[in-house]
Amino acid sequence: MIYLKVEGPAGWHDADMVQIAPTTGLSFDADLIRKYDHFGPRYTSYPTADRFTAGFTAEHLVNALFSRETEGAPQPLSLYVHLPFCNTVCYYCACNKVVTKDHGRSAKYIRYLGKEVAILSALVNPQAPVKQLHWGGGTPTFLSADEMTQLMRILRDNFNFAHDAELSIEIDPRKVSGADIALLAQLGFNRMSLGVQDFDPDVQKAVNRIQSETETRAVLDAARAYGFRSLNVDLIYGLPRQTLSGFDVTLDKVLRDAPDRIALYSYAHVPHLFKPQRRISDADLPSPDIKLAILGRAIEKLTGAGYVYIGMDHFARPDDELAVAQRDGRLQRNFQGYATDADCDLLSFGISAIGKVGTTYSQNVRTLDEYYDRLDADALPTFRGWQLSADDLLRRDVIQALMCQFNVSFERVGGAHAIAFQEYFATELEALKPLVKDGLIEVASDAITVTRRGRLLVRTVAMVFDRYLREQREQARYSRVI
């Protein structure tokens, strides 16, 4: 057993010690986490989005799409649509969103999404199968039933969806009914992610998100009744007024609902970057020790209930496709987190959306006015991006292997990129020695393996291979590792 001492204020009623049982695939070491809990990227891409430059234009994206069409058989696609509208603001949120109750704004936005979809779809093979679609936000279900139907019709009219495509959507359980879930199923959605964060009423009041267990369970029950095959619940630890005992209750309630996946995010308090967070009092935030204790308890409960630790902040049931993809070596990270298909180019639509085509990344403008102006001029709304070099592709491969499989084979990477791994990464292997000494990783003659003790800190390991981070240490831009 591992024991974590909790330092709390006078009158603290939770137990002083949190007992963490060793778990399959993961070991919780509080001292190690404290030592390495620095700022660092989440590596939904490499290079990371903060490296993108305005030198990459819409013309570069078009050229990448043309190159894709010279590769023979139609290559599969993944689609992402960013729907930024929300009825209310959650104070913790760091998403690119537009808070409004005016549905005239969403109706206009869909018209312009139609323009962007028409431009991009004309540049790809019409037979290219769409294997994945994700609607994110914001709150996608801000859209009315007619608007959701219209948007899905636009996408299906312009792209060739595979019969077994994964269609996922982010849901605010406070804003949907059983009829809404029925409509989403009718439109083809088969995966759903629900925001919960915490069921504790004091926490919900502090972050301006009042959401009952009853309404959340009603959405989960409806989704199952209408055939959704994978349900994800999002939780956040480190929120204001959060306590160990309170979050314990939230975990029990979530586990009773048995979602297929659980995302356990760390709250990053950066009010200088995100204005809504200025409404959160620093005094209400749990101390670092309490926040760490909450994480430890969550890991104990989730793994004890049979969930597999996928990586970063994701857990899944052993039969979920995310866990299966990890076992099969197909798991990858993209701009939506962990995903099951590594062979798809990603086309993204809407403000701030990021796509990946071939060896390029591209990002759309961030505001509605810019987005509309570009499309009114019949131009793609791309405002920055990145053309990956051979070194970028190599390092992306290494970082993906660490983040998804916790293992890097020197032979596999060296063969794929025509390099001698130990020579090419001599500097990095030297930099890894302190991590070896502290037990985060093991370095053999043929591979690097992230240990059970190091898996929660895999971002720290990946950062060693980030050439841009080494050259320009701007860690303050990132969230903490834990």
Side-chain angles (χ1 to χ4, degrees):
M1 295 291 182
I2 300 168
Y3 292 92
L4 171 63
K5 182 171 176 59
V6 179
E7 300 291 347
W12 181 251
H13 297 297
D14 282 317
D16 287 335
M17 305 295 288
V18 181
Q19 183 173 301
I20 308 298
T23 59
T24 303
L26 185 63
S27 180
F28 185 91
D29 188 319
D31 290 334
L32 202 61
I33 290 171
R34 287 190 184 97
K35 180 175 180 177
Y36 285 100
D37 185 18
H38 308 303
F39 296 96
R42 297 180 60 82
Y43 292 115
T44 52
S45 71
Y46 179 82
T48 50
D50 59 319
R51 307 295 173 186
F52 295 178
T53 71
F56 185 99
T57 65
E59 183 179 357
H60 293 92
L61 172 58
V62 171
N63 289 339
L65 289 166
F66 281 145
S67 296
R68 164 190 162 85
E69 296 310 314
T70 64
E71 297 176 0
Q75 301 298 306
L77 287 169
S78 179
L79 307 180
Y80 172 72
V81 183
H82 188 73
L83 300 162
F85 302 101
C86 294
N87 286 289
T88 58
V89 60
C90 302
Y91 297 160
Y92 57 80
C93 184
C95 299
N96 186 6
K97 58 194 172 296
V98 177
V99 180
T100 182
K101 297 186 184 299
D102 180 5
H103 278 266
R105 300 186 74 181
S106 56
K108 178 179 180 180
Y109 188 70
I110 290 173
R111 292 197 301 272
Y112 278 84
L113 281 173
K115 290 186 177 184
E116 186 182 10
V117 167
I119 294 171
L120 278 178
S121 63
L123 300 174
V124 300
N125 190 318
Q127 298 306 311
V130 171
K131 299 179 68 175
Q132 296 172 325
L133 167 68
H134 184 76
W135 288 9
T139 306
T141 47
F142 175 92
L143 304 183
S144 69
D146 287 345
E147 289 170 340
M148 288 191 282
T149 302
Q150 179 188 357
L151 178 55
M152 187 60 80
R153 185 182 302 118
I154 289 170
L155 294 168
R156 290 191 179 276
D157 285 349
N158 284 275
F159 291 102
N160 173 37
F161 281 74
H163 73 279
D164 59 348
E166 296 179 0
L167 275 63
S168 63
I169 183 169
E170 297 171 10
I171 294 289
D172 181 345
R174 304 170 299 168
K175 308 297 181 184
V176 295
S177 64
D180 295 321
I181 304 302
L183 172 64
L184 293 174
Q186 181 183 340
L187 294 177
F189 286 102
N190 48 39
R191 297 177 180 274
M192 182 185 296
S193 182
L194 289 78
V196 170
Q197 324 318 343
D198 196 319
F199 281 128
D200 188 316
D202 286 341
V203 176
Q204 292 185 355
K205 184 177 179 180
V207 299
N208 196 41
R209 185 186 176 97
I210 307 301
Q211 176 179 327
S212 72
E213 180 189 3
T214 299
E215 61 190 342
T216 303
R217 178 169 290 142
V219 172
L220 288 166
D221 289 345
R224 289 185 171 116
Y226 286 105
F228 280 73
R229 66 175 189 251
S230 184
L231 302 175
N232 174 82
V233 166
D234 288 345
L235 301 174
I236 299 178
Y237 67 98
L239 291 174
R241 302 182 191 170
Q242 208 166 51
T243 65
L244 185 58
S245 58
F247 201 69
D248 215 30
V249 173
T250 290
L251 289 167
D252 287 339
K253 291 177 177 180
V254 170
L255 289 173
R256 279 200 295 271
D257 292 328
D260 302 280
R261 303 174 186 178
I262 295 175
L264 180 66
Y265 297 113
S266 170
Y267 172 60
H269 190 57
V270 281
H272 60 289
L273 295 178
F274 303 108
K275 290 178 68 174
Q277 293 187 1
R278 297 173 190 173
R279 304 187 191 185
I280 293 175
S281 169
D282 289 355
D284 283 340
L285 295 173
S287 71
D289 278 346
I290 293 173
K291 182 178 179 181
L292 193 54
I294 292 171
L295 172 62
R297 177 68 60 83
I299 291 169
E300 178 189 26
K301 287 212 164 193
L302 295 179
T303 54
Y307 285 85
V308 176
Y309 178 65
I310 300 299
M312 286 285 294
D313 27 41
H314 282 64
F315 297 79
R317 299 177 70 87
D319 58 348
D320 184 83
E321 290 185 22
L322 210 59
V324 174
Q326 186 174 55
R327 291 197 296 271
D328 293 345
R330 296 183 289 106
L331 190 68
Q332 68 154 345
R333 278 184 71 74
N334 62 24
F335 296 105
Q336 282 74 60
Y338 284 102
T340 55
D341 281 301
D343 59 346
C344 292
D345 281 336
L346 172 65
L347 300 185
S348 293
F349 308 95
I351 59 171
S352 74
I354 303 177
K356 177 183 79 71
V357 177
T359 59
T360 69
Y361 299 129
S362 57
Q363 184 173 19
N364 281 352
V365 293
R366 295 191 177 103
T367 69
L368 292 174
D369 286 345
E370 292 174 295
Y371 185 67
Y372 298 153
D373 287 346
R374 295 282 185 102
L375 289 165
D376 279 338
D378 296 321
L380 286 170
T382 305
F383 89 105
R384 66 175 187 169
W386 192 264
Q387 174 70 58
L388 280 78
S389 66
D391 180 74
D392 291 337
L393 294 168
L394 166 59
R395 292 174 185 273
R396 181 175 73 177
D397 193 358
V398 172
I399 289 172
Q400 282 267 338
L402 288 168
M403 302 291 290
C404 297
Q405 304 302 326
F406 302 116
N407 178 272
V408 179
S409 163
F410 297 169
E411 181 179 5
R412 184 195 66 79
V413 172
H417 297 273
I419 56 107
F421 190 98
Q422 288 162 300
E423 293 180 14
Y424 195 97
F425 290 114
T427 299
E428 287 76 9
L429 290 171
E430 183 66 26
L432 287 174
K433 287 182 177 179
L435 307 188
V436 174
K437 182 179 179 181
D438 283 340
L440 275 73
I441 59 172
E442 295 173 352
V443 179
S445 60
D446 60 348
I448 299 168
T449 302
V450 183
T451 66
R452 286 175 34 162
R453 294 180 69 212
R455 291 187 175 188
L456 280 172
L457 297 163
V458 67
R459 289 162 69 182
T460 298
V461 183
M463 287 161 63
V464 173
F465 291 91
D466 186 333
R467 180 169 64 88
Y468 301 100
L469 193 60
R470 186 172 70 244
E471 292 174 352
Q472 187 178 0
R473 303 290 290 189
E474 296 180 330
Q475 296 186 24
R477 293 186 177 186
Y478 306 113
S479 62
R480 285 192 177 275
V481 170
I482 296 299

